[in-house]
Amino acid sequence: MASSKDFVQFVTEQCGGAGEITARKMFGDYGIYCDGKIFGLICDDRFYLKPTEAVRPLLRTVEMRPPYKGAKDYFYIADVDDRDYISLLVRKTCEALPMLKPKRTRM
């Protein structure tokens, strides 16, 4: 089951306090980005956040699930209604993730 565009739009709006949020279709579901850095996935109308130790203590409930069969576990975020909370989680996740590698120019 793929994610609905309405759910993807809702989650991107909820994360908006963290920076410029975009979602890109990937294999029928979506990768979700903040300022160009991928921080999570939306699969089957569920929101998953890359696991970082910086975010773990901030979670109301720590639930790890694979977003799709064969994937590594991500934090599953069931409550996406609190915009301030979701934006905080996204901001702290992105701070903990490695910097983006500069794109190589082709000659």
Side-chain angles (χ1 to χ4, degrees), residues 35-78:
D35 299 326
K37 186 185 289 188
I38 189 165
F39 65 86
L41 300 171
I42 299 173
C43 300
D44 296 330
D45 285 341
R46 292 182 177 92
F47 178 46
Y48 297 91
L49 199 59
K50 283 189 173 186
T52 63
E53 288 308 313
V55 170
R56 186 179 293 273
L58 302 174
L59 294 171
R60 294 175 180 159
T61 304
V62 178
E63 187 174 345
M64 302 289 289
R65 292 185 186 179
Y68 54 89
K69 188 175 180 173
K72 293 180 181 180
D73 284 344
Y74 277 56
F75 291 134
Y76 169 61
I77 311 299

Side-chain angles (χ1 to χ4, degrees), residues 10-98:
F10 178 72
V11 171
T12 58
E13 289 170 0
Q14 292 298 90
C15 298
E20 183 182 336
I21 306 298
T22 57
R24 296 184 194 154
K25 199 159 182 101
M26 300 172 54
F27 310 110
D29 281 302
Y30 294 84
I32 188 164
Y33 299 75
C34 181
D35 299 326
K37 186 185 289 188
I38 189 165
F39 65 86
L41 300 171
I42 299 173
C43 300
D44 296 330
D45 285 341
R46 292 182 177 92
F47 178 46
Y48 297 91
L49 199 59
K50 283 189 173 186
T52 63
E53 288 308 313
V55 170
R56 186 179 293 273
L58 302 174
L59 294 171
R60 294 175 180 159
T61 304
V62 178
E63 187 174 345
M64 302 289 289
R65 292 185 186 179
Y68 54 89
K69 188 175 180 173
K72 293 180 181 180
D73 284 344
Y74 277 56
F75 291 134
Y76 169 61
I77 311 299
D79 179 13
V80 293
D81 292 327
D82 184 341
R83 181 185 171 110
D84 293 334
Y85 172 66
I86 296 300
S87 292
L88 173 66
L89 296 179
V90 170
R91 189 171 39 258
K92 293 299 183 182
T93 297
C94 290
E95 288 172 3
L97 292 173

